[in-house]
């Protein structure tokens, strides 16, 4: 951002420097508040984060149902996983509304794919029924 000062134009990164200072200030404030909340001196440096595996959230085993379960240790997690609970939730489809022509095009493509699959399945079914008839004819002889 160009800034006019006595002596000509200078280029300064005012916004970026300001945002960096802003983030650093609030990080420091947050660390101090956490230290006080944990009963420690606010001037002490914050200990680095150590990952904890538990408690852990598990999700409903049945698709479409919303449910959550919190396990506190590996044994509870093993039991819950055996019961069908999942570590990852089911993804819900994203619904996007398009203009009518585009939606009609997508639906027509879907319909054509389904019709072609039905035709293939019908051909397979007829071949399988012919084969079954031949096997039954051999069995009766």
């Amino acid at each position: 951002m160009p800034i006019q000062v006595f002596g000509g134009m200078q280029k300064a990164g005012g916004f970026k420097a300001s945002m960096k200072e802003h983030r650093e200030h609030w990080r420091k404030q947050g660390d101090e508040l956490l230290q006080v909340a944990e009963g420690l001196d606010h001037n002490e440096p914050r200990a680095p984060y150590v990952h904890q595996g538990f408690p852990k959230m598990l999700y409903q085993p049945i698709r479409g149902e919303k449910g959550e379960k919190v396990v506190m240790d590996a044994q509870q997690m093993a039991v819950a996983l055996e019961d069908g609970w999942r570590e990852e939730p089911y993804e819900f489809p994203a619904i996007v509304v398009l203009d009518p022509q585009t939606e009609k095009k997508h639906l027509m493509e879907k319909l054509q794919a389904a019709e072609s699959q039905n035709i293939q399945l019908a051909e397979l079914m007829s071949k399988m029924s012919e084969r079954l008839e031949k096997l039954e004819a051999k069995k009766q002889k």
Side-chain angles (χ1 to χ4, degrees), residues 29-61:
Q29 288 292 316
D31 286 350
E32 287 180 7
L33 286 172
L34 287 171
Q35 290 289 93
V36 170
E38 292 171 1
L40 303 171
D41 183 24
H42 71 93
N43 289 327
E44 291 180 22
R46 186 116 180 101
Y49 174 75
V50 178
H51 177 71
Q52 299 174 4
F54 294 96
K56 190 169 190 172
M57 182 167 296
L58 299 178
Y59 298 92
Q60 187 73 319

Side-chain angles (χ1 to χ4, degrees), residues 3-10:
I3 301 173
Q4 187 166 358
V5 292
F6 298 109
M9 297 290 285
Q10 291 187 353

Side-chain angles (χ1 to χ4, degrees), residues 14 16 32 37 39-41 48 57 59 83 87 99 105 132:
K16 287 183 181 179
E32 287 180 7
L40 303 171
D41 183 24
M57 182 167 296
Y59 298 92
D83 291 341
E87 290 188 61
D99 62 298
K105 180 184 170 197
L132 180 63

Side-chain angles (χ1 to χ4, degrees), residues 5 8 10 16-17 22 26 37 46 52 56 62 65 75-76 78 87 96 116 126 128 137 139:
V5 292
Q10 291 187 353
K16 287 183 181 179
H22 178 76
W26 286 109
R46 186 116 180 101
Q52 299 174 4
K56 190 169 190 172
I62 301 168
E65 289 190 20
Q75 184 180 5
Q76 288 180 356
E87 290 188 61
V96 179
S116 65
S126 64
M128 291 174 71
K139 191 176 179 182

Side-chain angles (χ1 to χ4, degrees), residues 42-137:
H42 71 93
N43 289 327
E44 291 180 22
R46 186 116 180 101
Y49 174 75
V50 178
H51 177 71
Q52 299 174 4
F54 294 96
K56 190 169 190 172
M57 182 167 296
L58 299 178
Y59 298 92
Q60 187 73 319
I62 301 168
R63 187 172 188 81
E65 289 190 20
K66 290 186 179 179
E68 299 164 346
K69 180 178 191 173
V70 177
V71 292
M72 302 308 276
D73 57 23
Q75 184 180 5
Q76 288 180 356
M77 185 169 166
V79 170
L81 291 176
E82 284 179 15
D83 291 341
W85 287 84
R86 299 169 44 97
E87 290 188 61
E88 297 293 324
Y90 284 108
E91 290 183 22
F92 289 95
I95 299 172
V96 179
V97 178
L98 305 172
D99 62 298
Q101 291 175 339
T102 308
E103 283 193 18
K104 184 176 180 180
K105 180 184 170 197
H106 288 298
L107 287 173
M108 291 298 288
E109 289 171 357
K110 227 174 168 180
L111 183 62
Q112 287 174 352
E115 285 178 358
S116 65
Q117 186 179 15
N118 286 342
I119 291 169
Q120 290 173 350
L121 290 173
E123 288 176 2
L124 180 63
M125 191 71 160
S126 64
K127 288 179 185 177
M128 291 174 71
S129 63
E130 288 173 10
R131 184 174 176 201
L132 180 63
E133 288 173 6
K134 288 179 184 176
L135 288 172
E136 286 178 348

